[in-house]
Amino acid sequence: MLNKKKILEVASVAFASVLVFSGCGGHTATKSVKGGTVVPNTITAQIAYSSRDFNPLTTTMALPQAGNWHVTEALYTLNMAKGSIVSGLAKGEPKKISDTEFVVTIRDGAKFSDGNPVTAEDVKSSFDRMMKDGNIYQPMLSFIDKVEVKDESSVTFKLKAPFSLMKERMSLVHIVPAKQSDEDLKKMPIGSGPWKYVEINDQQVKFTKNDKYNGEFPAQTSHMVWNVNVDDTARVTAMQSGKNDIMENVPVKAFQTLKSAGSEIRKVDGFNQPFLMFNTKKKPFDDKRVRQAVLYSINTDSLIKNQMSGEAKKLTGFMPENSKYYHKAKNIYSYNVEKAKQLLKEAGVEKGLKFTLYTTDQTWITQLAPQIKNDLSAIGFQVEIKSMKSSALFPTITDKDDADFSVVLAPGDPTVFGNDPDILLNWWFGDNTWTHQRTFWYGSEGYKKLHSLMDSAVSTQNSSERQKFWNKAMDVLSDEVPLYGLFHRSLSTAFKTTSFKSMDAIGTPGIYLLDSKLK
């Protein structure tokens, strides 16, 4: 289904880098008063992730993804709070010419924030750039054969074969001016959404209302400032001070502190998870029974209770239990040391196996590692923990043809791209770097079986039949486990009750304010 050897140079949506902290920049903070934001005419936020690559056609990082939801538009928009496809730049539904040809028309009067109209050439250019060989999104759009300009405001999509999730995939491609270079897009993209960027640096992202926007989600006020603060304690302190309206990624231990300071906490059960990734070409992890034994040996309930303070749910299926696509997995990895030992015996694995458990350096991930190490010692594994920045771990340890690692513990949440099983399965188990190098699972019998079922799912227009194929595919994954999660994490957002009349928290990194209403 997907082209071979695509370069997917991304670690995880949840990756963070250096600590930066600042106040509200060009606006003078004032005390929060009833019926208004803490800074007049400005939404002020505390953001948990950092990045300087804002190109909507290439970036996968949490901060620019969230910012671009407010600045750039896709033809069809994924509502991050409700998980549904809503109107974007497109005018109405795709017009069906045949099972493999559709025409999409741009919204009347749509303009970029620089005043130029959005044209069919801009749409074609955005798709062409994202579908280029080597682009990390290319495998997710491989069902498209070509995009053609029909007239100034209409675009024809020709598909390689019938594909039942076309609108959902179109939400990946945010339309930007054809004339804007990749380098300029990286620094500050121009869009047709309700907001426009005015400044992006390591400490802040500043937005201004886009007066040219004519869609259904107008900006609620004149300005918006996102303060980048990846350190949990510093972010909580800033929110507690009363100088911010909203904060993402609230640590459980700070719930009461922020409530006492006038914030409401919204928790959302999401897909976000810690996963174990195995090098399936390295013995003994080339045997799925050994990979299964590792998962059975980990006391996930204890991790959730102690390290996560209860703010997570044990993984009982690839999709979280609150997903409409949820399917109870064929294999559920409950804590069972004896079963783990039996699987190792069947696989012929001797006690005393030594290996390094590599982890990314996010605090909540490194806090899981010591218990996992202790749990693995109960089945005779001697584990050394080594934590690294994701920007170092993946390029230097895993993403090499001769990689010699055994197991990696890292976070992941591809639901920023979509919430259906096909896109989530393809992210980690498609024809890309995850399977070619990180798990080395590409081309295996399990891989072929998974993709045969996935191909059957997206080729049918019958939703119940599609779900049956997905259920079987997810069962294959729960048996093969080249990469598999431990639990689905709850994400929490804090907001000032004096600032927001309504605010939808989301179960993925970032904040989503298109649907929110201010007091």
Side-chain angles (χ1 to χ4, degrees), residues 475-512:
D475 279 343
V476 169
L477 185 60
S478 78
D479 184 57
E480 292 284 338
V481 291
L483 179 155
Y484 210 64
L486 298 176
F487 51 77
H488 289 117
R489 184 185 176 211
S490 299
L491 291 181
S492 301
T493 303
F495 67 96
K496 299 291 288 185
T497 54
T498 51
S499 300
F500 287 94
K501 188 177 186 179
S502 66
M503 197 284 301
D504 288 326
I506 59 176
T508 193
I511 57 174
Y512 180 83

Side-chain angles (χ1 to χ4, degrees), residues 12 48 65 111 187 258 269 275 278 334 426 490 506:
S12 165
Q65 283 276 351
K111 291 182 178 181
K187 294 176 182 176
L258 294 185
D269 293 336
F275 60 79
F278 299 93
S334 300
N426 262 316
S490 299
I506 59 176

Side-chain angles (χ1 to χ4, degrees), residues 359-428:
T359 87
T360 55
D361 67 346
Q362 288 83 7
T363 302
W364 72 277
I365 290 293
T366 59
Q367 289 174 344
L368 302 176
Q371 185 200 300
I372 292 174
K373 173 182 176 177
N374 290 339
D375 288 346
L376 291 174
S377 69
I379 59 172
F381 286 178
Q382 298 178 37
V383 178
E384 176 187 355
I385 299 169
K386 186 170 183 179
S387 298
M388 303 172 64
K389 288 186 179 295
S390 57
S391 57
L393 191 158
F394 286 87
T396 63
I397 303 299
T398 70
D399 294 2
K400 302 184 292 185
D401 290 339
D402 60 348
D404 193 43
F405 74 96
S406 295
V407 188
V408 169
L409 172 68
D413 189 352
T415 53
V416 292
F417 311 124
N419 59 6
D420 62 82
D422 182 72
I423 200 166
L424 302 178
L425 288 168
N426 262 316
W427 179 253
W428 279 319

Side-chain angles (χ1 to χ4, degrees), residues 423-441:
I423 200 166
L424 302 178
L425 288 168
N426 262 316
W427 179 253
W428 279 319
F429 308 104
D431 185 355
N432 55 43
T433 291
W434 288 99
T435 57
H436 279 284
Q437 292 181 317
R438 295 177 182 177
T439 61
F440 296 95
W441 195 56

